[in-house]
Amino acid sequence: MFNYIIVGAGVAGCVMASRLTERDDIQVLLVEAGKDIPTGAEPADILDNYPTSYYNKSYMWSGLRAAWKKTQDGYTNFPQGKIMGGGGSLMGMVSFRGTPADYADWVSAGATGWSWEDVLPFYRKLENDWDFDNEFHGQDGPIPIRRLPKAKWQPLTQSIEAYAQKNGFAYISDMNSDFRDGVGAVPMCNTETRRASTALCYLTAEVRARKNLKIITDSPVKRVLFEDQKAVGIELYRSEPSASYFANEVIISSGGIFSPTLLMRSGVGDQKRLEELGIPVVADRPGVGKNLKNHSTLFIGFHLKKNSRQSKELRTHPSVCFRYSSKLPNCPPADLYINVLSKTSWNAMGEQIGNLAPTLLRPQSYGSVDLKKGDIDGYPEIEFNFLDHPQDLERMKIAFKQAVQILLDSEIKACIGTPFPVRFTDRLRLLNEFTPKNKFRADLLANILNIFPWISDYVLSSLTGERTNLAELIQDEKALEEHIRNNIAGLFHPVGTCRMGFADDSQAVVDPFGKVYGVEQLRVVDASIMPNLMAGNTNIPTIMVAEKIAATMMA
C-alpha cells in the first residue's frame, strides 16, 4: 500500500517522485511503461547534449501515429518517449517558459492561481541559470539553464544576427524575462557535456536510494482501479509478478496523449462515447481527450557551405531564434517563431544541412485524442486538426514569408545553397533513424557533396521531391496557401487534453490542483492539464507544473 502511485516517469513524473519522497512518511510507487536509465549506466546517446537519442526509435512508443490535420488526410509517425524521463530524455532541450500573456489566458480559462506571478517562483525553483542572477531566475535548482555565448556562435547564426540588426529586430539576451519581439539566444537545459532531463536531474542516485520510493519499469498501465468514485490503485498489462497496486491517491503523469487515453480506458470521459466503446462509466467528463493543442511548423532546408557549418566540437541544437507577433486581431503577442539550425541530424549529412522552421506558437485550432472502437487497449486516434482556424493559416503565411525573406538576404545567401522545402515524408528524413545502414548512406552522400558541392541542388531535390522557387512562392498567395496546407507538420508538444478549468465548465477535466472532477483520489500532473499552449517549448513549463502541484501537496 502506497500513499501515491505515479503513472508515468516522464518529465513530470520524475519531478513528482523526487519531490514527494522528500518526506520520509510518504510512500511512492513510480510506474514507467518504458526502459529505465539507471544512474551511472546511462547510454551515451541519452547523455549527449545534442539530441542524438531522438533518432533512436527503441526509446519510443513503436508505431504511434497521428494526423497533422484530419484523419482522412493521412497519418505520420508521432514520436513519444517510452523511457525514463519521457520526451525530456529525447527532444531538443530548448527551454522557453512562455510569456505572461500565456498564463493570463490560463487564468481566464479557469486555472486560478496560475498567473505569471504565481508560476515564476517555481521556474526559479527548478533552474540553475548560468547566465542571469536576478529576480527572474534561480541558481539553486536541479536543472541547468544556459545560452550559447556569442563567441561560440556558428557562421550562419552570426549572419542571422546581422540580418536582424539590419532589419530592425531587437536582440533579446534573456527571452525568459524580456518578452519583446526580436532575435534571441535560445535557452537550453543542458551543460556543455550532457543533457539535463528530469530523469537525470531529479531521479539522482541519492533519490533512487530513498527507502520510500519504489520504481517499476517496462510496465504499461491498463487502467486506474476505482471503488465507486474513488481511485484506489492501478492494473498493469501483465499477470506476474503483480498485476495490481494500491494507493491512497493515483497521479497520472503520462503526457498529452496517454493521460487522456488512460482516463478514458478507466471510465472517465464522455459518457456517450464510453458507452459506445463498452467501457463502464465512472465519471462523465466530456472534455477528456478534447482541446488537443500542438505547435504547427514548416521546414525550409539548405546545404551549408563548408565555411558556414557548425563545428563538430559544438554539441548544441539551436542557438538563436526569431520570436515575434503576427498582430492579427484577437491573436496574442509572441505567437510566431522561427527556429534556426546549423545542424539537423546526428549523421554526416545532418552536419551539412541547416534549416529555418517557421512555427505557430499560439494556435487557435484544436484537435482530439480518442480511443478506437474495438481496440481500446491499442494506440488512440490522434487528430491535431492543424489550420482548421483561418487565422492559423494566415499566421503561418506570415511566418513562412519572413523565413524566406531571411534566406534571400545577401549575407545569408553567401552561406548556403538553394533553399528547399523539407517534408515529413521525404527520403532525406528517412536517413535520420540511427542505424549502421543510414550512417553508411549519410557518410557517402556527405562525401560526395564535399567533393562536388555544385551538385547539392540536384542531390537534395532528389531526396526531397519537386524543387520550389521560394521567392516566387511567397508572391503567389494561392500557391503559398496550397504549399502550407500540403506540408504543414507539427512539433511534439501535445497539451490540453485534460485541461484545468472551472468546476462548472463541462470541458474542464481537472481543477487548479490537478484533481480530476467527478472522482476522488485521482490527479493528472503533466502537460495535458495546460489550458493552452505557451509561446515556447513544453519541457520546462511541464517541470514547473509538477513543481507547483507537488508543493501544494506537501504544504
Side-chain angles (χ1 to χ4, degrees):
M1 186 70 184
F2 297 89
N3 297 99
Y4 298 103
I5 294 175
I6 302 170
V7 180
V11 174
C14 291
V15 176
M16 296 298 292
S18 176
R19 291 305 188 194
L20 292 176
T21 55
E22 288 176 356
R23 275 180 43 180
D24 294 339
D25 61 329
I26 293 178
Q27 299 291 323
V28 173
L29 172 64
L30 178 62
V31 182
E32 167 57 33
K35 302 176 182 178
D36 194 7
I37 46 173
T39 304
E42 303 94 343
D45 58 353
I46 290 289
L47 293 177
D48 193 355
N49 63 344
Y50 183 82
T52 311
S53 53
Y54 168 76
Y55 304 101
N56 188 334
K57 303 308 178 188
S58 71
Y59 299 149
M60 300 173 187
W61 288 90
S62 176
L64 181 65
R65 294 170 66 78
W68 292 135
K69 294 184 288 185
K70 304 270 188 193
T71 54
Q72 59 263 34
D73 297 315
Y75 295 87
T76 186
N77 291 328
F78 190 68
Q80 292 285 278
K82 189 181 180 184
I83 190 169
M84 194 73 73
S89 293
L90 307 179
M91 300 299 174
M93 294 165 276
V94 174
S95 299
F96 289 110
R97 297 169 167 179
T99 73
D102 301 335
Y103 298 97
D105 285 351
W106 286 22
V107 174
S108 297
T112 306
W114 290 83
S115 70
W116 174 250
E117 291 74 20
D118 295 318
V119 304
L120 179 58
F122 297 97
Y123 279 120
R124 287 172 50 86
K125 182 179 181 179
L126 72 88
E127 73 179 10
N128 170 17
D129 196 294
W130 290 21
D131 305 311
F132 297 97
D133 184 2
N134 54 37
E135 68 272 24
F136 297 108
H137 294 288
Q139 275 67 48
D140 301 318
I143 301 291
I145 304 291
R146 68 187 184 98
R147 299 144 192 89
L148 191 66
K150 282 190 176 183
K152 295 185 178 181
W153 280 10
Q154 311 93 321
L156 175 66
T157 303
Q158 294 170 359
S159 298
I160 290 283
E161 194 204 8
Y163 168 88
Q165 290 177 353
K166 288 185 295 186
N167 289 274
F169 288 91
Y171 177 72
I172 312 295
S173 60
D174 178 18
M175 299 189 89
N176 277 334
S177 68
D178 182 348
F179 303 107
R180 294 175 295 158
D181 289 0
V183 173
V186 172
M188 303 172 287
C189 57
N190 57 25
T191 71
E192 294 177 344
T193 58
R194 62 180 280 166
R195 175 185 289 273
S197 69
T198 58
L200 297 171
C201 298
Y202 280 84
L203 288 186
T204 61
E206 179 185 26
V207 172
R208 285 169 173 265
R210 291 174 181 166
K211 294 181 180 180
N212 58 336
L213 175 62
K214 178 180 178 65
I215 299 174
I216 299 176
T217 56
D218 299 297
S219 300
V221 174
K222 182 175 184 178
R223 63 189 177 108
V224 176
L225 300 174
F226 287 93
E227 291 180 357
D228 296 322
Q229 265 65 48
K230 287 185 178 181
V232 296
I234 59 169
E235 179 184 352
L236 306 180
Y237 279 108
R238 70 182 193 196
S239 56
E240 297 294 338
S242 177
S244 301
Y245 293 88
F246 299 91
N248 296 330
E249 184 174 312
V250 176
I251 302 168
I252 300 176
S253 295
S254 302
I257 301 301
F258 291 113
S259 284
T261 301
L262 180 56
L263 281 178
M264 288 185 281
R265 235 177 15 234
S266 305
V268 180
D270 182 86
Q271 179 172 340
K272 182 179 178 182
R273 179 59 176 161
L274 293 178
E275 290 172 348
E276 290 175 355
L277 295 167
I279 298 173
V281 178
V282 176
D284 181 18
R285 300 309 307 176
V288 175
K290 306 298 192 297
N291 191 51
L292 174 62
K293 296 288 188 78
N294 190 8
H295 293 129
S296 55
T297 191
L298 295 159
F299 297 93
I300 304 173
F302 38 82
H303 188 235
L304 289 160
K305 297 181 179 178
K306 281 187 178 181
N307 60 355
S308 299
R309 296 172 191 167
Q310 182 167 310
S311 67
K312 291 182 180 294
E313 294 74 28
L314 185 59
R315 304 295 296 171
T316 191
H317 203 35
S319 51
V320 300
C321 66
F322 287 76
R323 183 179 66 196
Y324 56 105
S325 304
S326 68
K327 299 180 181 178
L328 293 183
N330 302 315
C331 291
D335 56 340
L336 297 175
Y337 176 86
I338 297 177
N339 197 36
V340 180
L341 285 179
S342 292
K343 177 179 177 179
T344 53
S345 188
W346 59 275
N347 57 42
M349 272 297 290
E351 292 173 358
Q352 295 190 21
I353 304 296
N355 78 35
L356 298 188
T359 303
L360 177 57
L361 294 180
R362 292 294 309 275
Q364 298 190 54
S365 305
Y366 56 87
S368 63
V369 175
D370 193 12
L371 299 182
K372 295 176 182 175
K373 193 168 185 178
D375 188 20
I376 63 171
D377 291 326
Y379 287 148
E381 193 84 80
I382 307 167
E383 184 178 79
F384 285 106
N385 202 23
F386 287 156
L387 306 179
D388 182 63
H389 195 286
Q391 280 195 325
D392 288 0
L393 176 60
E394 290 303 310
R395 289 185 290 169
M396 283 306 304
K397 286 164 62 177
I398 293 170
F400 190 86
K401 287 177 181 179
Q402 179 63 72
V404 173
Q405 291 293 346
I406 292 169
L407 295 174
L408 293 177
D409 177 78
S410 59
E411 188 170 341
I412 294 170
K413 286 174 71 174
C415 298
I416 64 176
T418 304
F420 55 90
V422 180
R423 300 172 176 88
F424 257 70
T425 55
D426 62 38
R427 288 186 289 167
L428 184 63
R429 282 185 169 271
L430 297 179
L431 287 172
N432 282 342
E433 188 171 349
F434 197 83
T435 66
K437 181 179 179 181
N438 275 349
K439 184 179 186 306
F440 173 79
R441 295 170 64 203
D443 286 350
L444 179 62
L445 282 170
N447 286 331
I448 291 172
L449 295 186
N450 273 331
I451 298 170
F452 308 109
W454 49 272
I455 67 167
S456 65
D457 286 358
Y458 170 78
V459 171
L460 293 171
S461 66
S462 69
L463 290 171
T464 60
E466 185 179 350
R467 303 289 288 176
T468 302
N469 186 315
L470 298 178
E472 293 180 2
L473 179 64
I474 62 173
Q475 300 300 321
D476 186 332
E477 290 294 310
K478 185 176 180 180
L480 178 57
E481 287 188 9
E482 183 179 0
H483 176 82
I484 291 172
R485 289 188 185 280
N486 289 340
N487 295 290
I488 196 71
L491 301 181
F492 307 106
H493 304 152
V495 310
T497 47
C498 302
R499 71 169 178 85
M500 290 185 278
F502 296 111
D504 59 357
D505 180 352
S506 65
Q507 292 300 305
V509 178
V510 303
D511 72 8
F513 302 96
K515 295 180 180 179
V516 178
Y517 286 122
V519 297
E520 299 177 50
Q521 300 172 186
L522 180 64
R523 292 182 204 249
V524 181
V525 183
D526 56 33
S528 72
I529 74 171
M530 299 175 183
N532 209 335
L533 274 167
M534 68 292 302
N537 302 59
T538 53
N539 180 53
I540 291 297
T542 301
I543 300 175
M544 177 277 293
V545 165
E547 284 276 19
K548 189 173 186 301
I549 292 181
T552 66
M553 295 170 65
M554 299 278 282

